[in-house]
Amino acid sequence: MKAVVIHAAKDLRIEQRDEEPVGPGQVAIAIEAGGICGSDLHYYNHGGFGTVRVREPMILGHEVAGTVKALGEGVTSFVVGDRTAISPSRPRSQCEYCLRGEQNHCLEMRFYGSAMPMPHIQGAFRQTLVAEQWQCHKVADGISTNEAAMAEPFAVTLHAVARAGALIGKRVLVTGCGPIGVLAIIAAQTHGAREIVATDLTNATLKKALEVGADRAINVATNPEMLAAYAANKGYFDVQFEASGSEKAVRSGLEVLRPRSVLVQLGLGGDVAIPQNTIVAKEIEMKGTFRFHEEFGLAVDLINKRRVDLKPLLSGVFSLDDAVAAFEAAGDRSRSMKVQLSF
Amino acid sequence: MKAVVIHAAKDLRIEQRDEEPVGPGQVAIAIEAGGICGSDLHYYNHGGFGTVRVREPMILGHEVAGTVKALGEGVTSFVVGDRTAISPSRPRSQCEYCLRGEQNHCLEMRFYGSAMPMPHIQGAFRQTLVAEQWQCHKVADGISTNEAAMAEPFAVTLHAVARAGALIGKRVLVTGCGPIGVLAIIAAQTHGAREIVATDLTNATLKKALEVGADRAINVATNPEMLAAYAANKGYFDVQFEASGSEKAVRSGLEVLRPRSVLVQLGLGGDVAIPQNTIVAKEIEMKGTFRFHEEFGLAVDLINKRRVDLKPLLSGVFSLDDAVAAFEAAGDRSRSMKVQLSF
Amino acid sequence: MKAVVIHAAKDLRIEQRDEEPVGPGQVAIAIEAGGICGSDLHYYNHGGFGTVRVREPMILGHEVAGTVKALGEGVTSFVVGDRTAISPSRPRSQCEYCLRGEQNHCLEMRFYGSAMPMPHIQGAFRQTLVAEQWQCHKVADGISTNEAAMAEPFAVTLHAVARAGALIGKRVLVTGCGPIGVLAIIAAQTHGAREIVATDLTNATLKKALEVGADRAINVATNPEMLAAYAANKGYFDVQFEASGSEKAVRSGLEVLRPRSVLVQLGLGGDVAIPQNTIVAKEIEMKGTFRFHEEFGLAVDLINKRRVDLKPLLSGVFSLDDAVAAFEAAGDRSRSMKVQLSF
Amino acid sequence: MKAVVIHAAKDLRIEQRDEEPVGPGQVAIAIEAGGICGSDLHYYNHGGFGTVRVREPMILGHEVAGTVKALGEGVTSFVVGDRTAISPSRPRSQCEYCLRGEQNHCLEMRFYGSAMPMPHIQGAFRQTLVAEQWQCHKVADGISTNEAAMAEPFAVTLHAVARAGALIGKRVLVTGCGPIGVLAIIAAQTHGAREIVATDLTNATLKKALEVGADRAINVATNPEMLAAYAANKGYFDVQFEASGSEKAVRSGLEVLRPRSVLVQLGLGGDVAIPQNTIVAKEIEMKGTFRFHEEFGLAVDLINKRRVDLKPLLSGVFSLDDAVAAFEAAGDRSRSMKVQLSF
């Protein structure tokens, strides 16, 4: 089978790999759709991020869906031909964190396509993936595998919403309208946010934010005063979903957040200088959110029932052999939201 | 009467002021003890902090206790001769924050000795203070007004504990062992912290930390590796009370905090650079804590019932006329924890 | 002006009353729509409920909307002709509960149409109501005052949702599909419940439950086994909104709730015998919910933005002079969901 | 070895049993102290409780401590001669509840001395117990195994405190001053309750309540008005720990609890009739608490560090051969708090 393998920055290859055997409790899936994520782009463009570096060839990818083609012994919840989204999160459910229900912090996590441990955890951009039955979530009739492959980034934002606490009556600011920011808008609206204001530096992404349900979109490159106006009376927003990783977005958010509000940090971005006195004086709660656990099943469920429509995010599908072109397109925010590969 | 008035950095004067009349619902108190706080020191040493500057003469002080000498009309809960601690927090209980029970964020707050608004809010370092009945909390027999005057900084740390959530079974790190850090140790222990590790840069303060109940004290100037050892398995502490305002303390804390732990920020200190990726990957919750509200009465109550002993913090009492010497002593961490004035 | 006055059980009269003067900060509203609530029906049918009895003539009603016809001094947020929903909740915002943000427990509450205090609090079923500006919430163009008058019962269910905690990923059981149960379905769905199962004893109400968004409706009079099947593996539901006040609904709910789930009690109903051992062994959290506070404004907002559609609840509008017929119709669950008066 | 075996109500026998082999990861413990619990008494006096009945001979007991006498393969955290408390809670850590961190609700729980499943789970009142290493918690020098054996019921009350939420500043009512009520007083005080009022029907137990730290003890059989006085202004207490299982205690508690307070139900007792309207109107949160999980280790830790002193609870130690006399004594509340067996 073919797989999409990163060797070093800008060295992405389509290679042949052996298919893995299907063990008990496992299913073999013919992958059909695979979304390119920010971390895939980091490996492709920079060979890694922070201290995490590609040190051996690694199959990329963790946003995938496909069709079941073989069943291991004892598998009862799937039949051949079922379509499924596959969670890339594989905790071992035995460490102290797993036994507290915090599986996303598993000490032995094997998340697809991660160069953090050595040997690296191989990813899911391959024609056939063998996965545990419990990683797989059936896709409903009428839902495409392209939509289903977006369950993974959507789960990230559902986890962010879960971290934020109840959104009933809350006014929400979303900073950064890449795929994660736009999915956060959908996730927040689906869970009852009273009002959503989105910011970004480009009008293309802001248009998408409005399309999926933001009440207002502000280009803070051209109109920073529109956001700043919310600072009156100590602030306006109850919750900020920070999806840009930019220091400026954090700092301007702190100005317009009310006392005792919550800033949920989704975006990654190295060191940021924050005004500690604002955190103190407004009693801001800044909390990180990392991947997801039970939210993957919830994401598939909401997609299956058409409670959410993620199709507006899909900006292009490239064939496997055009993977390099796909990665280049995915990295261009002016024209791409979510780019997927077809296998 | 005499009052302690700041005019500019290093320009502190003892001046005569008229006593205020006692209105309905008010009491006049002969102040006996007044503790010098970090913010008083900032005014004294630097003429302010951040953008807050002394722009007109201002009476300093907000940690005070004394004896009731006159009663306004309708006052029933005090008699002349009662000793009382006086809360410096004076919200108006009418703004949107007050009506959410968040009086410490009152839009019309008149906290004693604050140069934030213009005209400044005059402070409580004066021989006679006229206060609202509801600001006053009776001091029990056998408790000195020196102890009672520490109710204010203790209330700050009780509010920090309330912000942290339940401490049952929690392992706690306290960074910075000035008066606030040491009081945070007492507050955390009184509310059930399972284990408390304290850090500072000087042995004198660490000794005090152990004296009031810390299980371990680490000098991170000389033995940083002792703290760093707690980083194994993604971290050890469930809660950090950060009372130094130092960037280094925040950053080293993030290394040894467990996933989903809480960093309660007490210390003030301008911009600090934080590793956003750690906040995200460990899903840390960093939350500010600011002053107090109902915790002032609780502080007096715990002192009155001898549930806590704050006497070890008191390093010296200076007479009013030696106020300048008192401020100099208070600013010298090597010899002073809490310095008070006697009126 | 005319008003709807209860004198005793089954003694409802249309009487003339003087219009009240419009004071500073107040508005006079020509009431157009008034919904009949369960408590109105209790006064009408039984002269009260529990120990609360009608002891003097009292204007009924608290679910009202109308058009502003006069403005008191200093009113700036309305103009004559504006349509408005009026919150019947009038806390004084000065007691200990108000200052904790728990205004629905105000010790001096003056909720429209309540016989609890003596003299009774006169209600809002009158042709002209004078209300405080802060009680009034503007109704958007295109929204009828009939819809707006449902903001009050909807606010009750929004408060119930707020009491339940975040609904993300939660499976919800709603027992009792009268107006409150049906509005709870709408409120829960709007705030992200993953799945909603509704139960009642009559098919007419269950049909309405499905119409507004329940995933499944079970008639527990005819098919109790359909609900009982959810008891496997210690239970299925994370949250129950109990809107029937029936002991049976509470008890059967406890069987199908998961360990650590929440039963939010909305329905009123005297003594109920509960199996204490189930509460203990499954660590159930049973919590009451009472009226609302800030949720009234949220209710109007969600109606105004068409985020919810409450029109399906309206079963009939009677003219003021037919009030007795309206009350008789409102009491007949087989044909009525929400009955309103037209003024 | 000898074991204490229940055959039917009032049919308790000392019988010979074979010692079990010590497997990998296990330790063999010479049991020294075993406390008699309320559930042991139910089996002895009534042959069970509710629908749970003794259907085959079962070794009783789950509050035990002793000395390690043999180590299984791979055991590194103990040496022969170590003294240890043994947690009777044995979840399998694989079901959906365990993987949410709710191990006390494990679908495959094997709690010592439980007749709920068939075959019954044999208990720990035996001369040698073989347990998993992770069940064992070392006892510190100077702590008796009698004290250590009280870690189990103490853990029950620590879990109750964890369920109650932070106790900082809270006024607490404890109803029922048997061993669980008295331990709840200790647990609540250790975790910062501001004030604790205890009630019971007998003066002997109330005396013990005061001895361990209650601020006030009320005999509600002779002085119910002392409790009722707390009902003014909608109630006084923020938290009730209900440890009697009595309907009257629940109902009188609801009268004196404040709006939005928490009633933590520890006591077991069949059906109780509760006033649903009070739950609703005061928005009371009644929550069950069941056994414990991580609190067992915490209990041992607090005992080891002498943060708590449980010795006042011990009313008598009987030799194994006098087990029947021990059970009779344990059932007599007028003379016994906690009765233990010596093995």
Side-chain angles (χ1 to χ4, degrees):
Chain A
M1 65 167 177
K2 291 182 185 171
V4 179
V5 181
I6 188 78
H7 285 251
K10 295 287 178 181
D11 181 1
L12 186 74
R13 308 180 197 170
I14 308 301
E15 298 184 341
Q16 282 295 326
R17 293 287 158 104
D18 290 338
E19 290 196 11
E20 293 172 351
V22 187
Q26 297 183 324
V27 293
I29 303 125
I31 296 298
E32 291 166 10
I36 297 171
C37 163
S39 71
D40 297 318
L41 284 172
H42 270 287
Y43 288 122
Y44 173 71
N45 285 314
H46 312 295
F49 43 89
T51 59
V52 177
R53 299 277 115 198
V54 172
R55 288 164 285 167
E56 61 176 350
M58 180 178 76
I59 303 178
L60 287 177
H62 52 269
E63 304 180 358
V64 295
T67 297
V68 174
K69 55 184 255 195
L71 305 176
E73 199 190 314
V75 171
T76 54
S77 39
F78 289 91
V79 298
V80 170
D82 277 347
R83 291 169 322 122
T84 179
I86 303 107
S87 172
S89 176
R90 296 185 297 165
R92 286 202 196 269
S93 294
Q94 299 192 333
C95 75
E96 56 177 315
Y97 296 105
C98 287
L99 293 178
R100 287 160 65 120
E102 303 177 358
Q103 283 85 350
N104 59 333
H105 298 294
C106 176
L107 293 170
E108 306 174 294
M109 173 60 78
R110 298 150 299 152
F111 201 95
Y112 286 145
S114 167
M116 210 172 304
M118 189 70 195
H120 297 347
I121 311 297
Q122 298 296 315
F125 282 172
R126 51 175 103 182
Q127 289 179 313
T128 300
L129 180 70
V130 173
E132 302 299 323
Q133 186 179 200
W134 53 257
Q135 293 175 255
C136 299
H137 295 258
K138 217 172 282 187
V139 175
D141 289 347
I143 303 293
S144 69
T145 43
N146 296 94
E147 288 168 79
M150 283 187 277
E152 202 273 345
F154 186 42
V156 169
T157 64
L158 290 172
H159 184 62
V161 165
R163 293 278 297 155
L167 292 184
I168 183 167
K170 299 290 175 64
R171 295 183 164 94
V172 169
L173 174 67
V174 176
T175 48
C177 293
I180 290 295
V182 167
L183 289 167
I185 292 169
I186 295 172
Q189 203 201 33
T190 305
H191 293 88
R194 181 171 188 168
E195 180 183 351
I196 301 174
V197 174
T199 68
D200 201 304
L201 305 171
T202 67
N203 288 333
T205 56
L206 288 167
K207 204 179 142 197
K208 199 56 80 176
L210 289 171
E211 185 184 340
V212 302
D215 293 283
R216 189 182 183 192
I218 298 174
N219 186 324
V220 283
T222 58
N223 295 89
E225 77 290 353
M226 284 187 184
L227 180 60
Y230 289 102
N233 286 328
K234 301 198 179 186
Y236 181 82
F237 297 102
D238 303 293
V239 177
Q240 178 181 0
F241 293 104
E242 205 305 283
S244 75
S246 133
E247 180 178 298
K248 212 161 177 179
V250 173
R251 297 182 72 100
S252 60
L254 291 173
E255 292 302 312
V256 297
L257 283 168
R258 292 166 60 96
R260 303 242 174 119
S261 57
V262 179
L263 188 165
V264 179
Q265 184 66 42
L266 282 145
L268 293 167
D271 278 12
V272 296
I274 57 164
Q276 203 176 34
N277 295 357
T278 304
I279 299 278
V280 169
K282 291 172 82 167
E283 298 194 312
I284 301 286
E285 193 174 326
M286 179 189 266
K287 62 204 300 188
T289 183
F290 185 58
R291 295 176 179 163
F292 51 82
H293 179 56
E294 66 272 32
E295 292 88 356
F296 190 88
L298 175 60
V300 177
D301 201 24
L302 294 173
I303 295 168
N304 278 345
K305 291 179 177 163
R306 298 197 179 289
R307 292 267 300 272
V308 295
D309 179 10
L310 308 187
K311 290 191 296 289
L313 275 84
L314 193 60
S315 19
V317 179
F318 289 71
S319 84
L320 181 56
D321 295 327
D322 297 333
V324 169
F327 274 71
E328 289 295 334
D332 179 355
R333 291 195 73 205
S334 70
R335 60 186 170 114
S336 300
M337 182 61 68
K338 176 58 71 182
V339 171
Q340 290 186 343
L341 294 173
S342 159
F343 287 81
Chain B
M1 65 168 178
K2 291 182 186 172
V4 180
V5 181
I6 188 79
H7 285 252
K10 296 284 179 183
D11 181 0
L12 186 75
R13 308 180 197 169
I14 309 301
E15 297 184 341
Q16 283 294 329
R17 293 287 157 106
D18 290 338
E19 291 196 14
E20 293 172 351
V22 187
Q26 296 184 325
V27 293
I29 303 126
I31 296 297
E32 292 166 11
I36 297 171
C37 163
S39 70
D40 297 318
L41 283 172
H42 271 287
Y43 288 122
Y44 174 71
N45 285 313
H46 312 295
F49 43 90
T51 58
V52 177
R53 299 277 114 198
V54 172
R55 287 165 286 166
E56 61 176 350
M58 179 178 76
I59 303 178
L60 287 178
H62 53 270
E63 305 180 358
V64 294
T67 296
V68 174
K69 56 185 252 192
L71 305 176
E73 198 190 316
V75 171
T76 54
S77 38
F78 289 91
V79 297
V80 170
D82 278 346
R83 290 170 321 121
T84 179
I86 304 107
S87 172
S89 177
R90 297 186 296 165
R92 285 200 196 270
S93 295
Q94 300 192 332
C95 75
E96 57 176 313
Y97 296 104
C98 287
L99 293 179
R100 288 160 64 120
E102 304 177 358
Q103 284 84 351
N104 60 334
H105 298 294
C106 175
L107 292 171
E108 306 174 293
M109 173 61 78
R110 297 149 300 152
F111 201 95
Y112 286 144
S114 167
M116 210 172 304
M118 190 69 196
H120 297 345
I121 311 296
Q122 298 297 315
F125 282 174
R126 51 176 102 180
Q127 288 178 313
T128 299
L129 180 70
V130 174
E132 303 298 324
Q133 185 178 201
W134 54 256
Q135 292 176 255
C136 299
H137 295 259
K138 216 172 283 187
V139 176
D141 288 347
I143 303 293
S144 67
T145 43
N146 296 95
E147 287 167 82
M150 284 188 276
E152 201 274 346
F154 186 41
V156 170
T157 64
L158 290 172
H159 184 61
V161 165
R163 293 279 296 154
L167 292 183
I168 183 166
K170 299 290 173 66
R171 294 183 165 95
V172 169
L173 174 67
V174 176
T175 49
C177 293
I180 291 296
V182 167
L183 288 167
I185 291 169
I186 295 172
Q189 203 200 33
T190 304
H191 292 87
R194 182 173 188 167
E195 181 183 350
I196 300 174
V197 175
T199 68
D200 201 304
L201 305 171
T202 68
N203 288 333
T205 55
L206 289 167
K207 205 180 139 196
K208 199 57 80 177
L210 289 172
E211 185 184 339
V212 301
D215 294 282
R216 190 182 183 192
I218 299 175
N219 186 324
V220 286
T222 57
N223 294 90
E225 76 290 351
M226 284 186 184
L227 180 61
Y230 288 103
N233 286 329
K234 301 197 179 185
Y236 181 82
F237 297 102
D238 302 294
V239 177
Q240 177 181 0
F241 292 105
E242 205 304 283
S244 75
S246 133
E247 180 178 300
K248 214 162 178 179
V250 173
R251 296 182 72 101
S252 60
L254 291 173
E255 293 302 312
V256 297
L257 283 168
R258 295 165 59 97
R260 302 241 175 120
S261 56
V262 179
L263 189 166
V264 179
Q265 184 66 42
L266 282 145
L268 292 167
D271 278 14
V272 296
I274 56 164
Q276 204 176 36
N277 295 357
T278 304
I279 299 279
V280 169
K282 292 173 81 167
E283 297 192 313
I284 300 287
E285 194 173 324
M286 179 189 268
K287 62 204 300 186
T289 184
F290 185 58
R291 295 176 179 164
F292 51 83
H293 180 56
E294 65 272 32
E295 292 88 357
F296 189 87
L298 175 60
V300 177
D301 202 23
L302 293 174
I303 294 168
N304 279 345
K305 291 180 178 162
R306 299 199 178 288
R307 292 269 299 273
V308 295
D309 179 10
L310 308 187
K311 290 190 297 289
L313 274 84
L314 193 60
S315 19
V317 179
F318 289 70
S319 83
L320 181 55
D321 294 327
D322 297 332
V324 169
F327 274 72
E328 290 295 332
D332 180 354
R333 292 194 72 206
S334 71
R335 57 185 173 117
S336 300
M337 182 62 67
K338 176 58 72 183
V339 170
Q340 290 185 345
L341 295 173
S342 160
F343 287 81
Chain C
M1 66 169 176
K2 291 183 188 172
V4 179
V5 181
I6 188 78
H7 285 252
K10 295 288 179 182
D11 181 1
L12 187 75
R13 308 180 197 169
I14 308 302
E15 298 183 343
Q16 282 295 325
R17 293 285 158 106
D18 290 339
E19 291 196 11
E20 294 172 350
V22 187
Q26 297 184 323
V27 293
I29 304 126
I31 297 298
E32 292 165 10
I36 297 172
C37 162
S39 70
D40 296 319
L41 283 173
H42 271 287
Y43 288 122
Y44 174 70
N45 285 314
H46 312 296
F49 42 90
T51 58
V52 178
R53 299 277 113 197
V54 172
R55 287 166 284 166
E56 60 176 351
M58 180 179 77
I59 302 177
L60 287 177
H62 53 269
E63 305 179 357
V64 294
T67 296
V68 173
K69 56 185 253 193
L71 305 176
E73 198 190 316
V75 171
T76 54
S77 38
F78 289 91
V79 297
V80 170
D82 277 346
R83 290 168 324 121
T84 179
I86 304 108
S87 173
S89 177
R90 297 185 296 166
R92 284 201 196 270
S93 295
Q94 299 192 333
C95 76
E96 57 176 313
Y97 296 104
C98 287
L99 294 178
R100 288 160 64 120
E102 305 177 358
Q103 283 85 350
N104 58 333
H105 298 293
C106 176
L107 292 171
E108 307 175 292
M109 172 62 76
R110 298 150 299 151
F111 201 95
Y112 286 145
S114 167
M116 210 172 305
M118 189 71 195
H120 297 348
I121 311 297
Q122 297 296 315
F125 282 173
R126 50 176 102 180
Q127 287 179 314
T128 300
L129 180 71
V130 174
E132 303 298 324
Q133 186 178 198
W134 53 258
Q135 292 175 255
C136 299
H137 295 259
K138 216 171 281 186
V139 176
D141 289 346
I143 303 292
S144 68
T145 44
N146 296 96
E147 287 168 81
M150 283 188 277
E152 201 275 346
F154 186 42
V156 170
T157 64
L158 291 172
H159 184 61
V161 165
R163 294 278 296 154
L167 292 183
I168 182 167
K170 298 290 174 66
R171 294 182 165 97
V172 170
L173 174 67
V174 177
T175 49
C177 293
I180 291 296
V182 167
L183 288 167
I185 292 169
I186 295 172
Q189 203 200 34
T190 305
H191 293 88
R194 181 172 189 169
E195 181 184 351
I196 300 175
V197 175
T199 68
D200 201 307
L201 304 171
T202 67
N203 287 333
T205 55
L206 289 167
K207 204 178 142 196
K208 199 58 78 176
L210 289 171
E211 186 183 337
V212 301
D215 294 282
R216 190 183 182 192
I218 298 175
N219 185 324
V220 284
T222 57
N223 294 89
E225 77 289 353
M226 283 186 184
L227 179 61
Y230 288 103
N233 286 328
K234 300 198 179 185
Y236 181 82
F237 296 102
D238 303 294
V239 177
Q240 177 181 1
F241 292 105
E242 205 305 284
S244 75
S246 133
E247 181 179 299
K248 215 163 176 178
V250 173
R251 297 182 72 100
S252 60
L254 291 174
E255 292 302 312
V256 298
L257 284 168
R258 294 166 58 98
R260 302 238 176 123
S261 56
V262 179
L263 188 166
V264 179
Q265 185 66 42
L266 281 146
L268 293 166
D271 278 13
V272 296
I274 57 163
Q276 204 176 33
N277 295 357
T278 304
I279 299 279
V280 169
K282 292 172 80 167
E283 298 192 314
I284 300 287
E285 194 173 325
M286 179 188 267
K287 65 205 297 189
T289 183
F290 186 58
R291 294 175 178 164
F292 51 82
H293 180 56
E294 66 272 33
E295 292 89 355
F296 190 88
L298 175 60
V300 177
D301 201 24
L302 294 173
I303 294 168
N304 278 345
K305 289 179 178 162
R306 298 197 180 287
R307 292 268 298 273
V308 295
D309 179 9
L310 308 188
K311 291 191 295 290
L313 274 85
L314 193 61
S315 15
V317 180
F318 290 72
S319 83
L320 181 55
D321 295 327
D322 297 331
V324 169
F327 273 72
E328 289 294 332
D332 178 355
R333 294 194 71 205
S334 69
R335 59 187 170 112
S336 300
M337 182 62 69
K338 177 57 71 186
V339 170
Q340 290 184 344
L341 294 172
S342 160
F343 288 79
Chain D
M1 66 166 177
K2 291 183 188 170
V4 180
V5 181
I6 188 79
H7 284 251
K10 295 287 178 181
D11 181 1
L12 187 74
R13 308 180 196 169
I14 309 301
E15 297 184 342
Q16 282 295 326
R17 294 286 158 103
D18 291 339
E19 290 196 11
E20 294 172 349
V22 187
Q26 297 183 326
V27 293
I29 302 125
I31 296 298
E32 290 165 11
I36 297 172
C37 163
S39 70
D40 297 319
L41 282 173
H42 270 287
Y43 288 123
Y44 173 70
N45 285 315
H46 311 296
F49 43 89
T51 57
V52 177
R53 300 275 114 197
V54 172
R55 286 165 287 166
E56 60 176 352
M58 179 177 78
I59 302 177
L60 287 178
H62 52 269
E63 303 180 357
V64 293
T67 297
V68 173
K69 56 185 254 190
L71 305 175
E73 199 189 316
V75 170
T76 53
S77 38
F78 289 91
V79 298
V80 170
D82 278 347
R83 290 168 324 121
T84 179
I86 305 108
S87 172
S89 177
R90 297 185 295 165
R92 285 202 196 270
S93 294
Q94 300 192 332
C95 75
E96 57 176 313
Y97 295 105
C98 287
L99 294 178
R100 288 161 64 119
E102 304 176 358
Q103 284 84 351
N104 59 333
H105 297 294
C106 175
L107 293 171
E108 305 174 294
M109 173 60 77
R110 298 151 299 152
F111 200 94
Y112 286 145
S114 166
M116 210 172 304
M118 190 69 196
H120 297 346
I121 311 297
Q122 298 296 315
F125 282 174
R126 51 175 102 182
Q127 288 179 314
T128 301
L129 180 70
V130 173
E132 303 297 325
Q133 186 178 201
W134 53 258
Q135 291 175 254
C136 298
H137 295 258
K138 216 172 284 186
V139 175
D141 289 347
I143 302 294
S144 68
T145 43
N146 296 95
E147 287 168 81
M150 283 188 277
E152 202 273 347
F154 186 42
V156 169
T157 64
L158 290 171
H159 185 60
V161 165
R163 293 279 295 155
L167 292 184
I168 183 167
K170 298 291 173 66
R171 295 183 165 96
V172 170
L173 174 67
V174 176
T175 48
C177 292
I180 290 296
V182 167
L183 288 167
I185 292 168
I186 295 172
Q189 202 200 34
T190 305
H191 292 88
R194 181 172 189 169
E195 180 184 351
I196 301 175
V197 174
T199 67
D200 201 305
L201 305 172
T202 68
N203 288 332
T205 54
L206 288 167
K207 206 180 139 195
K208 199 58 81 177
L210 289 172
E211 186 183 338
V212 302
D215 293 282
R216 189 182 184 194
I218 298 175
N219 186 324
V220 284
T222 57
N223 295 90
E225 76 290 353
M226 284 186 184
L227 180 60
Y230 289 103
N233 286 330
K234 300 197 179 186
Y236 181 81
F237 297 102
D238 303 293
V239 177
Q240 177 182 1
F241 292 105
E242 205 305 283
S244 75
S246 132
E247 181 178 299
K248 213 159 175 181
V250 173
R251 295 181 73 100
S252 60
L254 291 173
E255 292 301 313
V256 297
L257 284 168
R258 292 165 61 97
R260 302 241 175 120
S261 57
V262 179
L263 188 166
V264 179
Q265 184 66 42
L266 281 145
L268 293 166
D271 278 13
V272 296
I274 56 164
Q276 203 176 37
N277 295 358
T278 305
I279 299 278
V280 169
K282 291 172 80 168
E283 298 194 312
I284 301 287
E285 194 173 324
M286 179 190 268
K287 63 204 300 186
T289 183
F290 186 58
R291 293 175 180 164
F292 51 83
H293 179 55
E294 65 273 31
E295 292 89 356
F296 190 88
L298 175 59
V300 177
D301 202 23
L302 294 174
I303 295 169
N304 278 345
K305 290 179 178 162
R306 298 199 179 287
R307 294 268 299 272
V308 295
D309 179 10
L310 308 187
K311 289 191 296 291
L313 275 84
L314 193 61
S315 18
V317 180
F318 289 70
S319 84
L320 180 56
D321 295 326
D322 296 331
V324 169
F327 274 71
E328 289 295 333
D332 180 355
R333 294 195 70 205
S334 70
R335 58 186 171 114
S336 300
M337 182 60 69
K338 177 56 73 184
V339 171
Q340 289 185 344
L341 294 173
S342 159
F343 288 80

